Structures are given as structure tokens and as C-alpha cells.
Amino acid sequence: MQWATGYDIFLPVVWLLVAAGVILLIDLFTEESERQTMPVFFTALGGVLLSFVSLNPYWDARPVVLMRGAMIVDQFAVYLITAILTGTAISMFASISYVRRIGISLTDFLCTLLLAASGMVLLTVSNDLIMVFLSVELLSFAVYVLTGLNGRSSKGAEGAMKYFVMGGLASAVMVLGMAALYGVTGEVALRPLGDKLAQLYSQPDGSQYLATLGMGAILIAFAFKVGAVPFHSWVPDAYEGAPTTVTGFMAVAVKAAAFGALIRVAVAVFPEHAGPTGFAGDFGWATYALWFLSALSMILGNWFAISQRNVKRMLAYSSIAHSGYLLMGLASSGGRTEAYAAILFYLLTYTLMTSGAFAMLVYASSGGKDVEDIEDLRGLAWKKPAVGICLAIFMFSMAGIPLTGGFMGKYFVFSQAVYAGGPYLSLAIIGICTSIIGAYYYLRVVAVTYFREADDRPVHGREDWGIKFALSVTVFGTVALGVFPQIFYDGAKASVEQLRVEAPAVEGRNGQTSQLVDR
Amino acid sequence: MRELLQKPEFLLLLVPLMPLIGFLINGFFGRRMALASSGAVACGSIVLSFVIATSLFVSLISQGQTVQSYSFNWMHVGALDIHFRLLADPLSGLLMMVVTGVGSLIHIYSVGYMGHDKAYWRFFAYLNLFCFAMLMLVLGDSLVLMFLGWEGVGLCSYLLIGFWYTHKPNSDAGKKAFVVNRVGDFGFMLGMFLLFWYFGSLNYGELAAGMREVVQPDSTLLNAACLCLFVGACGKSAQIPLYVWLPDAMAGPTPVSALIHAATMVTAGIYMIARLNFIWVHAETALTVVALVGALTAFFAGTIGLVQRDIKKVLAYSTVSQLGFMFIALGLGNFPVAIFHLFTHAFFKALLFLGSGSVIHSLEHTLGHGNPDSQDLFKMGGLKHKMPLTFATMFVGACGLAGIPLFSGFFSKDAILYAAFERQDALGLVVYALGLAAAVCTAFYSFRLIGLAFFGKWRGLEAAYAHADESPRSMGLPLFLLAIAAFGAGYLWLPAAFGVHFTPFADLLAPVWQQGQAFLRAAQSPLAMPVEHSHEAIVREWVNMLVSSVVAVGVSIFAFTIYSKPAGLERARKLVEGAMGAPYRLLLNKYYVDEIYDIAIVRPIQLLSDVFFVIFDVIFIDLMLVNGSGLLVDLSSKVARRVQTGVVRHYLFAFVVGAALLLVMFLAAL
């Protein structure tokens, strides 16, 4: 199978799609019932696991480019795909009995989830503008559907609708920006595009204004996807309306994929050598914009979260704030490997602690009723001490208290901003101040679970092994990242270093040069 | 896998890992496990660890090789690079053997001793965790890892002292141990910081290399650093002024007293100084302080031990006193002798504690759990008929402790006294005098204990005596094995005066002291250990040995004749009520040290903190900072959230305005 050399990089996506297809077939030929649960769930899980396993050859490999440069698989992508698949698997485990209980068909849910995940995986390997756009659309549509999957909930429909309308606008902006860049340079592949732009900025001929607008538009669209202020307004409504496990998935996987793509685009298209107005190093226009996005997200996200009584909405605002911290890393990166590695590390801890926190909400939900008000959690720690500790660990991690992954993530990102100095130092100061504010509402959750009298509301998670598994994995990961950060940080650094490998390998991994591989 | 199991760098990792796994299993699933399986997991894990440690020790370390585990980069913060790596050289290898060996025996003993406890699994989880932390302390290859283990054993000690936490004095004792140790830990940290500041590293190998490179060491700084470290050692190893927690720590279950508060954890301070001996030899002042503090502690704790009624308290003060002996040896620069005493002490003191546990266990059947009468020596007597094995083994332990010739304690304690004797200066004289006085006390209370508990007539509740019985076999076996070790351990290092050159113990450890001794010899310091024994020295050693033998045997017989017969007891009581009343009460109340600390330290701090609490906490922080600012932010947030109207048109408007502003910003910046 000579022709297939190198093409097994499609396998991670293919396995997800195959699993989705098999689930549909199962649903077609069997009755919707309790008995369906296990086959369907394990098909989906098998898809995710196979997808993960098929990444294996790329863990240590040099980058491989194919489809005439449209796709690239490097360790950067592998790192992100790992985070995405972890987030996907955790929300699957958390959903096993939850989704049916709130009246959603498990097959619908898992199938859409897998489609979204495949879009995300594609996004991380996208290496030209068209692939980026297509993958973003694939994942976005799947996530719109997931948000509104619960037809019985008016909040779900409202959230999905708002998300869809706003998302449409963002997509339009993104396409507009891409068109502008193509119009100016005649390129869609990221690296040649970057080279052309660099040339353009060094010898301006007037078209650089259009190019700048194009890049700005793309930046805005990504800012929308990661929920940065002022493009965040869909976040609270969509997060609140979506089924809780979907919210966790949105908060985690969508963010990881979008940030990954943003970094890839930024590194290639906003090159350091673009001169005084370039992306990195200098306080150019893009960093200027990122500075504002980051500062606004940190301030407003944390500020709005304080007064929320609804836990899901609170976590929505908290996710906006976390986007702000991540954007701080990007703004102050200056093209440094360490800064991108810090962002990746932060994404990984964010994935674990946030999906853990949402799994916790599923655990604490009762009957068909989600946890809404923070009071629903009261005394939880006394009903189930182990679960109380898990919740405390997630909240401590989000607040950035030492010995948790959240602390190390903040430490890495903030220290990069401090290292960059100048205007980024102010960003780091804003970050520290706002995370103190953040500690207030995170710790309030812990306080409610410990210091309030428990009620006799039954807790759903008691009989749900899936949710227990999800909690164990996330708690373990959150603590491991806090106690042994260096391993994961070094991994992130190694994967980021590949972003800059100048000429991606044209060799297949078996050493034969593939005819289809081209730059 | 097979290949991996033959690699020493991997096997060494398994040594602390085994008890950790045992802890995790018991900690997470113990509640639901059967008693037998819970005990089997705990004992199995530590015995396995002992087997691995033995194989490493016999095949490599005893051949003079050093074993290093795989290392990984744990954390990288600024200039501080913390690698996680275990290191088993002769010194840490020996301690590893003691911890896993004595630890295994005490685990097995606990199966019987804790058999009736409801929280059986919790006890074993803590005990396993302790072994893990202790092994980390011993095997870590840097001060950072040692400190990690140091804090870990402190935590386990706290948890185990307060193991029966429903009884308030127990949890109070736990708290006391924790707080007093925090004082010490603070000193330890300061010492670490000073060393890091001076050497730029905390790894033993790099510290030693740094020490070699320094031409003119800054002795002020090294003295300061060593004194700070010694404060830490005082806390953990219960020396004046921080020894007060150890006697109270006897509130924990007896196996805990044996393992943590006699054999292993409390010797951490001695290990630390021996480990860093290449730095300590440059800190002569600090060493003098160590010798004096050790001698004073040995003496004072010994005198307090003379009058205690509680069988475990006697042993606790004896432990403090024996630790003082070890510090004497360290302070005199004779590191191997300190480690030798640590080694023999681990056996005979663990044995004595386990033996007293056996007595308590058998009396508690009738008297009920936690009844202080089950530990009161004056309510015992004649137990040797009821518990022959316990008596025989404890007798061996007491002989070892008292320094009766040919028992292990004789060899190690005598070596310490001889080292002081050989100094032939003021310090040596003072230390020798105090040490000899402490040895007198030791012999006295050892045989007072034996006489009171096992001889004479039963003085307690009749029913308790009737039901007193030898303990189960799981407790008997560790006693028996420890008795053999307590007798034989001393023969690993025969004094030069014997004329037979048999010193495997000293030979094994010799490479550890090489660097420090090379320096001392070059500087012709009095601290250097003698290499050859002149004829005069041999004579002096004989004299010294004779003196201490006569003292030990004489005092032992004296104490035994008083306390083993009702008539002697009666006479002692009259004496105490009459002429000796004042000193007796002084000793019984432990020199009123707890009361003095309470008045001089605890109450002023309490008062001060009450004042600060009201001014800063209640008024400034709570009222103004926390509630004030919190209220402000909360209010403003409630107002601001109205921006989020929920109307899509407003959202779109915000989006477009934001985008327009950003784009304009871009173009303006271009």
C-alpha cells in the first residue's frame, strides 16, 4: 500500500467518523432503549481510543505535510489532539446516563459529539486557510446542534439559536478576512502566505492595509470562538442552555482547538520578521489587539462571574476569564517557544479541571433537574466526602492555588508575561489581581459544599460509574499537573518547537518519499 | 519487565514505592476491605520493600557501591533545578535497611496489637505512608527531597499520635508535636536557604563538590547554616529546648512509639548531620553547640526518666536521653559512632517499646482500652510468670539500654563516652561527665522498669493479673527477632581495645566521612577521628570501658534490688516522701518545663494574637478589606451584569462595534 504512506494521519479523524457512522447504524437497526446504552457508548469510546492510538507513530516523528500543504501533522497537533480527545472522552463518560435522564437520545448525542471532535482534530492539523475554515465550520455546526439537543428545554433552544446567529456572523467575518488575505497574496497555504506577507510589509505598496484588515478579521473570528470579550456575549447563554456535559465539552475542547489553530495561524502568518508592525516581539498592532482582548476578558469575565448565583453561568464567565489568561500568553509570546508551551500547558490543565468541574455538576444533579443555583450544592461534601474533595480540588485549581495544575498553568503564563516586560507586565498584574477576584467565587462554591447544611436531595452520581470514572481521571490529572508540571511542560515545549521547523519533512514515515506529499 | 527488575536503578525506586502503594490501597479501599487483607497489604508491601532493600544492600551497597535510581526533572524554577533521584550509599543504605527491617517487624506486630481497633485500615494506611516518607527522607539525594520526607514523617507522626482522636489529650499531643516541629522546620528551611545561597544547589553531590572547590570557606555563614539546621534537628530529634513533644507523643498506639518515636523518625536529625558531615566539619562552633546540647539533653532527660510512673513515659525520656548521646558523638566529630548508636538503639528501643506494648495489650483486656492503669508501673509487678517471652526479650532490651557489658548498647554507648574521654579538653570533660551521669540514670531507670513490671508482687487490680496472658504469636515473633538484633548488633564494631580487628560497620561507612576527615586531618583539627590506636589510647579505652561497665552493672543491680522487692519499694517511697521530696517533685514535674513554656511563650503569644486578631483581623481585614471591598465588587458586578441583556440584537451590536474598534485600531497602528 505504497500510496497510503503518510496518509494514516487521517486515521484519527477517520476512526471518529467511523464510530459516528456505526452508532447511527446501531440506532437504525435497534430500538431506542436502555439496552442500547452500552454498545453505543463503547463504540464511541472505541472510536476515540482508536483515534488516540493511531496518533502513536507521530509522537516522536518529524512533521509530515500532505495534500499539497493543506494539512500538517506535527507534535503540536498531537499534543492538542490528546487534549481534545481527553476532553471528549471525559464528557462521554459523564454523559452515559445523564443525557438520557434529561431526555436526549444517547445516540444523537454521541454521534454529534464525535463529529464535533473530528472537526476539532482536523482544525489542529489544518495548514491552509480553506482547511481552517472548513474545520471550524464542521466543529461549529456540530456544537450548535449539541447546544440545542435538548428540545424540551427552552433555554437550550434559546442558547443554541443565539450561538448560531452570532457564530454565523463570526464565520462571515472569518471568510471575509481570508478572502482579503487571498486577494492580496494569492496564497492560501499558511507558510507561503506568511512569507508573502512578510515581503509585503517590508516593501509596502498600499495593499498592506487590506492584508491587515484580513488578519484582524481572522483574529476577531477566533476571539469569538474562544469567547473573548467583547465577542463573548453568546457564552453565558449557550453555556447555560446546553446540557451540562455539552457545556463542559464546549468549554474545553472547542477552546483547545481554537487556540491551537490561532497559534498555528499566528506563528505562520503573523511572522516575527514582519517588521515594527509585526505580530511578535514588538508591540505591534496584533499584540495591541490581543492585549485588549486579554485584559478585557480577564477583568469582565471575573467581574461578571462574582454576582452569578447560577453555577453554570458562573463557570461560563470563568471560562471567559480563562480565555483572557490564555490570550495573555499569546499576546506576550514574542514568538518564544516557552510562551507557546505555557499556553499549551494551561490548555491541558484547563481541559482537566474544567471538564472535571462540569462532571461534578452532573454528579450533583438530581433526577431530571440540573444543578442551577449554587445552593443546590450545599452540604455536598458531607453527603459524599470524596466528591467534596474532588470539587474542592477543581475549584482550587481554577483559582490557581498551589499543588494544582491551575496554579502551575498560571505560573507559567504569568511568568512569560513578566519576562516579556513592558506592557505585558501590566497584563500580568491585571491577571494576578483578577485571579484574586476569581478566587472569591471559586472558593464560595467550596464554602457552600462544606459549610452549609446538607439537604436530603438525592444525588445523581451515586449510581453512575461513568461520572465517577470521569471525576477520578480529572482529579488525578489536575493534581499530577500541579505536582509534576515539568514533564508536561517539557512535552509542550518539544511540541511547540516543531511549529518552526522550516521545511516540513516530505518523507513518509517509512522512509519512502511519497509522490503525493508536496509542499 | 524481567530486565527491569534486574536494574538497581529501578529496584531502588521500588523500595519507597511499595509502602506508598500499600498506603494507596489501604487509604482508598481499606474501609471496605476485610481486616486480614488490610493487614496483609500493609505488611506485604513493607516486607517486599525490605526484601528488595536487602537484595540491593547485600549485592551492591555492602560491596562499597552506591546505587542511584532513575532521575527525572521534577521542577525547574529560576536557578533552582529540582531533580527527583534516590541515592543509596552506605549511610542511606544502612538507614534504609533499618527503616524497612524494623518497620516490617513493627507492621507484623501491629497486626496483633491493633487487632481490636475499628480503624484498623486507617492505622495501616498511616503506617505505610510513614514508611514511604521516611524512606524518601533517607534516600532522597538532595536536601529538598529530605525536607519533603521530613515534612511527610512529621505529618504521619501527627496523624498517628492523635490516632485515637476522640480522646482530647491525644489530639492535643498530636497538635503539640506538630507545632513544636514547625519551629524546628523553620530553622531547617533557613539552613537550607543559606546553603542554597552559598552553594547554589541543594544536591548532596553538588554540595560536596562545592565544598571541595571552596578554598577559604566562609565559616561564619557555614556555622549559621549548620546552627539553623540543628534547630530543625532539635525539633525532629527531640533535643533541648524542643524535646517537649516526644513524651506527650506516647499518646499514640505503642507500635507507633516504637517505629516513629524511637527507631526511625526521631533519628532524622542525626542522619541529617551525618549526611552533611562534609559541611559540618567546617562549622566547629556549631559542632560544639551540638555536643553541649546533646550532653545536657542526655542528662536532663535521663533524670526525668528516673521517676516516671508510666511505662511508656520512662521509655520516651530514655529515647530523648539516648538521642542526646548520639548528638554528643556528632558534636565531637565522631560521626560513625553516632550512627552506630542510632543503629543499636533502633533495635533495643523498638524492642522495649514493643515489649511494653505487649504488657499494655495484655492488661487492657481487663482494664479496658485507654485506661492509664494499664501503663502505670506502680500498678504492675510479678508479670514475668505470666508473660515469660515478653519478660525475657525486654530483659535483653533493658540490658542493651543500660549498657551491660557484651550487650549492644554497651558497645555503642561506650564508644561515645570514650570519644569524649579522648578529647582531653574542657568540652570533652564536661560532655564526658554529663554523659556518664546520664549513663547512670539510664542503667537505673532500665532496671527500675524491669523490677517494677516483672518482679515483686502484683499491685494493681487482681482481675487484671488473673487475665494477663502472653500476647499472640504475631507480636511474639517480632519481639524475639528484635531481641536477637538488640543483643547482636553491637558485635558489628568491636572496640580496638579488644585486640580483635572486627569493624565491618565502621568499614562500610568509611567512604561517607572521607571528604570531611581529609579536611580535618589536613587542618590538624582535634575533631579528626583517630586513625591508629596508640598503646596509651588502648589503655585509656580499657579504663573507660571498665568504669562504664562497673557503673552500668552496679547501678542496674542497685535499682533492681530496690524495685523488685516490696521492702525496697517501701523504703524508696519513704525516702521520696521525706528527704528526697523536693528533687523528686521537681523531676516528676519534668523541671516544670511545660509550665515555663506556657508562661513564657504560649500565653504572651496568645495575648498578642488576641490583640492583633481584634485590631487587624476583625476591624481592618474583615470589616474593611474583605467585606468592604467584597461588597463593593459584588454590588458593582450586579449592576454591570445588566449589560448582558439576553437580546441577540444587542449582542450583535456589541460584536460589530467591538470588531470595528479593533479593526480601526489595527489600521491606526499600521
Side-chain angles (χ1 to χ4, degrees), chain A residues 169-498:
Chain A
L169 181 61
S171 294
V173 171
M174 183 181 269
V175 158
L176 203 65
M178 288 173 174
L181 286 187
Y182 179 71
V184 172
T185 62
E187 292 281 356
V188 285
L190 291 182
R191 205 171 281 272
L193 180 62
D195 294 342
K196 284 265 175 66
L197 284 175
Q199 223 172 8
L200 189 66
Y201 280 110
S202 56
Q203 293 151 347
D205 60 355
S207 59
Q208 77 270 25
Y209 293 106
L210 191 54
T212 308
L213 281 180
M215 283 190 267
I218 293 176
L219 188 61
I220 287 168
F222 274 117
F224 171 85
K225 287 285 163 212
V226 302
V229 180
F231 310 108
H232 68 288
S233 33
W234 59 277
V235 174
D237 294 331
Y239 276 32
E240 190 190 351
T244 307
T245 52
V246 171
T247 315
F249 179 72
M250 279 160 72
V252 164
V254 176
K255 197 160 286 185
F259 258 103
L262 178 54
I263 291 179
R264 199 186 281 290
V265 171
V267 169
V269 178
F270 309 162
E272 299 96 304
H273 45 268
T277 52
F279 175 76
D282 309 295
F283 200 49
W285 55 267
T287 35
Y288 201 41
L290 285 173
W291 193 99
F292 271 101
L293 290 174
S294 162
L296 286 176
S297 304
M298 288 190 288
I299 295 170
L300 294 181
N302 280 312
W303 191 21
F304 285 2
I306 286 177
S307 55
Q308 298 299 331
R309 307 289 305 172
N310 182 313
V311 188
K312 273 167 88 177
R313 264 185 110 80
M314 183 206 94
L315 285 175
Y317 282 111
S318 130
S319 94
I320 294 174
H322 282 293
S323 284
Y325 300 130
L326 286 161
L327 283 168
M328 176 203 298
L330 198 56
S332 61
S333 70
R336 275 170 296 118
T337 316
E338 289 81 7
Y340 295 126
I343 298 173
L344 281 193
F345 183 89
Y346 199 104
L347 273 176
L348 193 62
T349 66
Y350 176 76
T351 302
L352 287 167
M353 66 196 182
T354 307
S355 36
F358 280 105
M360 183 62 66
L361 295 188
V362 176
Y363 184 99
S365 66
S366 175
K369 190 177 166 299
D370 271 356
V371 171
E372 299 260 311
D373 196 89
I374 190 169
E375 289 294 315
D376 290 346
L377 291 173
R378 65 176 178 266
L380 181 69
W382 300 113
K383 285 189 210 163
K384 275 300 234 179
V387 174
I389 291 172
C390 289
L391 180 68
I393 289 176
F394 293 135
M395 290 302 142
F396 285 160
S397 181
M398 287 196 172
I401 287 167
L403 284 185
T404 59
F407 169 75
M408 287 317 295
K410 281 210 174 75
Y411 169 78
F412 285 136
V413 169
F414 287 11
S415 62
Q416 285 306 319
V418 171
Y419 177 84
Y424 311 111
L425 187 63
S426 54
L427 212 49
I429 292 168
I430 294 176
I432 288 166
C433 293
T434 53
S435 48
I436 292 170
I437 296 178
Y440 170 71
Y441 58 86
Y442 293 128
L443 297 187
R444 187 169 60 193
V445 176
V446 180
V448 167
T449 56
Y450 273 94
F451 301 132
R452 299 293 298 275
E453 201 70 23
D455 53 16
D456 48 4
R457 221 170 54 96
V459 178
H460 156 70
R462 266 171 210 269
E463 307 86 42
D464 190 342
W465 60 271
I467 202 86
K468 285 179 188 162
F469 181 79
L471 282 179
S472 324
V473 170
T474 46
V475 151
F476 183 76
T478 305
V479 174
L481 280 164
V483 179
F484 302 111
Q486 204 64 39
I487 308 170
F488 301 93
Y489 181 72
D490 287 345
K493 214 159 122 182
S495 67
V496 171
E497 266 153 15
Q498 289 207 341

Side-chain angles (χ1 to χ4, degrees), chain B residues 558-603:
Chain B
F558 175 64
F560 183 73
T561 46
I562 295 177
Y563 288 100
S564 65
K565 293 190 190 71
L569 259 179
E570 189 59 26
R571 208 150 10 126
R573 217 194 55 205
K574 275 206 185 114
L575 204 63
V576 162
E577 280 171 358
M580 301 291 281
Y584 173 75
R585 274 192 300 280
L586 182 68
L587 292 182
L588 194 64
N589 288 302
K590 307 159 241 170
Y591 298 101
Y592 299 97
V593 167
D594 277 337
E595 286 77 5
I596 294 170
Y597 281 5
D598 190 52
I599 292 171
I601 300 172
V602 179
R603 290 214 193 142

Side-chain angles (χ1 to χ4, degrees), chain B residues 486-557:
Chain B
F487 177 73
Y491 290 91
L492 290 174
W493 187 358
L494 292 181
F498 276 25
V500 191
H501 184 79
F502 184 71
T503 57
F505 192 90
D507 299 340
L508 172 73
L509 291 177
V512 179
W513 329 113
Q514 213 168 26
Q515 185 182 346
Q517 292 304 316
F519 162 78
L520 288 178
R521 251 176 262 125
Q524 292 188 328
S525 159
L527 286 168
M529 292 186 283
V531 189
E532 283 170 14
H533 296 271
S534 64
H535 183 65
E536 289 80 28
I538 300 266
V539 171
R540 278 198 300 274
E541 191 166 4
W542 270 115
V543 170
N544 172 59
M545 215 181 298
L546 219 62
V547 170
S548 39
S549 310
V550 167
V551 162
V553 174
V555 173
S556 298
I557 292 174

Side-chain angles (χ1 to χ4, degrees), chain B residues 432-469:
Chain B
Y432 180 77
L434 284 171
L436 197 64
V440 169
C441 298
T442 311
F444 189 87
Y445 62 63
S446 304
F447 279 87
R448 172 175 173 268
L449 188 155
I450 294 289
L452 282 174
F454 293 103
F455 289 86
K457 273 213 306 266
W458 175 256
R459 296 173 295 272
L461 204 66
E462 272 312 315
Y465 188 71
H467 288 101
D469 200 6

Side-chain angles (χ1 to χ4, degrees), chain B residues 250-453:
Chain B
M250 296 301 126
T254 308
V256 171
S257 313
L259 178 62
I260 301 185
H261 304 121
T264 54
M265 182 188 85
V266 288
T267 60
I270 289 117
Y271 170 71
M272 183 264 292
I273 296 181
R275 179 86 276 172
L276 297 178
N277 71 82
F278 53 88
I279 294 176
W280 277 82
V281 293
H282 293 268
E284 211 171 322
T285 320
L287 279 179
T288 311
V289 171
V290 170
L292 283 175
V293 169
L296 280 174
T297 310
F299 175 68
F300 279 110
T303 52
I304 299 175
L306 293 176
V307 300
Q308 295 300 312
R309 294 178 64 128
D310 184 324
I311 187 167
K312 284 179 76 182
K313 284 273 163 76
V314 174
L315 293 175
Y317 280 105
S318 144
T319 304
V320 176
S321 166
Q322 298 303 309
L323 291 167
F325 270 104
M326 298 175 209
F327 278 106
I328 292 177
L330 293 173
L332 297 172
N334 210 328
F335 302 104
V337 170
I339 298 297
F340 189 42
H341 195 52
L342 185 163
F343 183 68
T344 58
H345 175 257
F347 295 120
F348 62 68
K349 190 51 69 61
L351 169 62
L352 283 169
F353 265 116
L354 293 189
S356 71
S358 170
V359 170
I360 296 166
H361 187 68
S362 110
L363 296 185
E364 271 180 351
H365 272 308
T366 329
L367 296 174
H369 171 75
N371 187 335
D373 281 2
S374 65
Q375 305 191 12
D376 189 342
L377 281 169
F378 283 88
K379 294 191 176 152
M380 295 180 193
L383 280 172
K384 78 171 167 177
H385 306 295
K386 288 284 186 180
M387 315 180 72
L389 176 72
T390 305
F391 163 65
T393 51
M394 271 190 93
F395 190 78
V396 174
C399 288
L401 176 59
I404 303 294
L406 304 184
F407 285 83
S408 61
F410 167 74
F411 295 102
S412 54
K413 201 189 300 174
D414 188 63
I416 294 173
L417 289 175
Y418 173 62
F421 196 62
E422 269 301 273
R423 263 297 274 271
Q424 296 169 345
D425 58 6
L427 176 71
L429 203 68
V430 170
V431 168
Y432 180 77
L434 284 171
L436 197 64
V440 169
C441 298
T442 311
F444 189 87
Y445 62 63
S446 304
F447 279 87
R448 172 175 173 268
L449 188 155
I450 294 289
L452 282 174

